[in-house]
Amino acid sequence: MNRDDLAKYLAQALDINRFRDYCPNGIQVEGRNAIKTIVTGVTASLALLEAAAGAGADAILVHHGYFWRGEDARVIGPKQKRLKLLLNHDISLFAFHLPLDAHPDWGNNAQLGMRLGLAPSGRFGEGDLGWLGQPAPGVSTVADLAMLVERRLGRAPLVIGDPGQRLDTVAWCTGAAQNMLSDAVNAGASAYLSGEVSEPTVHLAREAGVAYLACGHHATERYGIEALGNHLAEHFGLRHQFIDIANPV
């Protein structure tokens, strides 16, 4: 399909203009007009770009792209190498940050909830980015939830709180959303899952009596961009490959 047609479809489908984000959403680097093969991945690292070029990608779709607010605008060092590879191979780069977190079907939160068997019951936080839901049958304590996370994500979470605490409403928001813990508390959650943890998070979780599970930034955000790529492959007949660049964080 045509590159600009794909850009318009994604902008509308993900409602990118609704979000106050830290980076531009949509097409970030223009490549060739005709797109037959797409590669998806979490972050537009050099390793992903090299793998995508080797796979014959016409376009790469990621959750973490470039041109973040406040970053050095100069095209030097790693940024120069990344952009040079894209331009030399005439590959387009699309990035979707908060719009991909929030999407009800292909979003990171929607996809994580599906993998953990969480039954969605509401949203919370700015832009309704955070999700609320009920745990899967048989997942009745924080320890049960932590074991389920480890099985499904292949990564043991860091658990702050009592493993024996009973679960009621579970809140979650992927990535670096530890700052939404207070919103989860106010929404009535008994446990909150996110990707990262910071020093104040521990104290707030303990004092609020809400368990906090830090499940990994990369680990919690692998699924949305892959789901989006699968949708595009099915909807437009594109070839799609998800490439997961290992990241322990």
Side-chain angles (χ1 to χ4, degrees), residues 1-187:
M1 68 182 303
N2 177 270
R3 177 199 65 217
D4 295 336
D5 289 341
L6 177 60
K8 290 176 183 177
Y9 175 81
L10 289 168
Q12 182 176 10
L14 292 166
D15 197 10
I16 66 174
N17 293 323
R18 182 169 74 87
F19 297 88
R20 294 186 302 165
D21 213 335
Y22 314 99
C23 62
N25 286 290
I27 190 163
Q28 292 190 337
V29 179
E30 284 188 352
R32 62 183 67 96
N33 288 323
I35 295 178
K36 297 179 181 179
T37 300
I38 59 173
V39 162
T40 58
V42 177
T43 299
S45 64
L46 186 61
L48 177 64
L49 303 187
E50 290 172 340
D58 301 305
I60 302 170
L61 282 70
V62 297
H63 180 49
H64 302 133
Y66 304 151
F67 314 116
W68 297 94
R69 184 191 307 162
E71 76 172 19
D72 189 345
R74 295 176 297 169
V75 182
I76 60 175
K79 181 186 287 188
Q80 187 269 351
K81 293 178 181 178
R82 293 172 176 180
L83 292 175
K84 183 178 180 180
L85 190 151
L86 287 169
L87 295 171
N88 282 348
H89 287 84
D90 206 15
I91 299 173
S92 294
L93 177 69
F94 293 80
F96 300 98
H97 188 232
L98 296 182
L100 188 65
D101 288 323
H103 195 275
D105 299 312
W106 318 313
N108 286 321
N109 287 318
Q111 292 293 315
L112 180 63
M114 287 173 55
R115 279 160 178 77
L116 297 181
L118 296 166
S121 59
R123 301 280 195 102
F124 71 95
E126 183 177 356
D128 286 338
L129 285 175
W131 286 48
L132 298 166
Q134 305 306 310
V139 179
S140 58
T141 68
V142 171
D144 294 336
L145 183 59
M147 287 189 291
L148 178 63
V149 168
E150 184 173 4
R151 288 199 307 270
R152 296 291 170 83
L153 304 191
R155 183 186 191 279
L158 173 65
V159 178
I160 308 300
D162 177 11
Q165 179 180 329
R166 305 291 295 183
L167 294 176
D168 184 8
T169 298
V170 176
W172 70 98
C173 191
T174 64
Q178 65 265 37
N179 62 339
M180 291 180 65
L181 173 58
S182 60
D183 295 321
V185 172
N186 293 334

